[in-house]
């Protein structure tokens, strides 16, 4: 295995920034479920059955909203698609945008390496996010945890809008007089 390929890939500031923004913006998504469960079950005292229904409603909202959001990203661009990001139906499309951006910015073995690196980052977040969410909810309060998730999600959206990673090859600047994809 060529671990140097990861280092070479991270030398590209566009890829480095995309992975960093993805790291930050994915945390709220991974922590939200456990914090919401603890908030409904314990803080509100409604029990785990109601907490399961709240989690299911959030998941259903994401499942319904994601295909719509993907079409908006393709048709109108990432920045315009991010503006109405609230609740499950309008959650940030961070997972697909990062993968789509990596697919545009890389090719061949670099693309495989970029996707592998993104998978490592994603799995790390899926390990850390729920644990961190549970610690915040149990140590301080689930309401604080939900507030942090909301603010972090907003920060992730702002970072995505600022960075505006390419989601189509046509968004890449052409290098020199050639019209072929330089990557």
């Amino acid at each position: 295995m060529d671990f140097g390929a990861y280092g070479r890939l991270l030398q590209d500031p566009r890829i480095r920034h995309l992975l960093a923004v993805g790291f930050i913006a994915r945390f709220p998504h991974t922590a939200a479920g456990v914090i919401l469960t603890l908030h409904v079950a314990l803080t509100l005292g409604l029990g785990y059955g109601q907490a399961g229904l709240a989690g299911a409603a959030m998941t259903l909202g994401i499942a319904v909203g994601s295909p719509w959001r993907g079409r908006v990203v393709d048709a109108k661009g990432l920045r315009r698609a991010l503006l109405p990001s609230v609740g499950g139906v309008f959650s940030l499309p961070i997972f697909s945008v990062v993968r789509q951006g990596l697919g545009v910015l890389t090719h061949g073995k670099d693309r495989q390496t970029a996707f592998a690196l993104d998978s490592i980052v994603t799995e790390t977040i899926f390990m850390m996010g729920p644990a961190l969410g549970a610690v915040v909810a149990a140590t301080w309060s689930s309401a604080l945890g939900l507030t942090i998730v909301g603010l972090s999600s907003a920060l992730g959206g702002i970072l995505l809008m600022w960075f505006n990673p390419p989601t189509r090859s046509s968004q890449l600047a052409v290098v020199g007089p050639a019209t072929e994809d330089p990557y």
Side-chain angles (χ1 to χ4, degrees):
M1 173 168 259
D2 180 17
F3 288 106
Y6 296 119
R8 286 189 300 276
L9 193 66
L10 290 171
Q11 288 178 357
D12 184 337
R14 301 169 305 171
I15 293 172
R16 194 172 54 244
H17 291 144
L18 180 58
L19 290 172
V21 168
F23 185 82
I24 293 166
R26 286 175 173 154
F27 259 105
H29 290 282
T30 61
V34 71
I35 295 173
L36 180 64
T37 298
L38 293 172
H39 184 72
V40 172
L42 302 178
T43 303
L44 299 179
L46 298 175
Y48 287 100
Q50 294 294 323
L53 289 175
M58 183 177 73
T59 302
L60 185 60
I62 292 169
V64 168
S66 291
W68 166 79
R69 197 43 122 14
R71 284 192 296 277
V72 174
V73 168
D74 289 343
K76 298 186 181 207
L78 180 61
R79 286 184 176 157
R80 290 195 51 205
L82 290 177
L83 290 176
S85 292
V86 291
V89 177
F90 301 113
S91 66
L92 291 174
I94 185 63
F95 291 91
S96 58
V97 167
V98 170
R99 291 283 167 104
Q100 202 169 354
L102 288 173
V104 170
L105 293 171
T106 60
H107 77 288
K109 288 223 180 259
D110 284 344
R111 185 172 290 154
Q112 292 173 331
T113 304
F115 287 157
L117 186 56
D118 182 55
S119 293
I120 292 167
V121 169
T122 300
E123 293 304 320
T124 302
I125 292 167
F126 272 111
M127 289 185 292
M128 295 171 60
L132 187 59
V135 167
V136 169
T139 305
W140 292 290
S141 78
S142 59
L144 174 64
L146 289 173
T147 302
I148 291 170
V149 163
L151 293 173
S152 299
S153 187
L155 174 64
I158 290 167
L159 288 173
L160 271 178
M161 290 178 74
W162 169 74
F163 181 59
N164 196 27
T167 55
R168 293 184 301 276
S169 296
S170 62
Q171 293 173 317
L172 292 175
V174 177
V175 178
T179 58
E180 294 181 356
D181 184 3
Y183 301 97

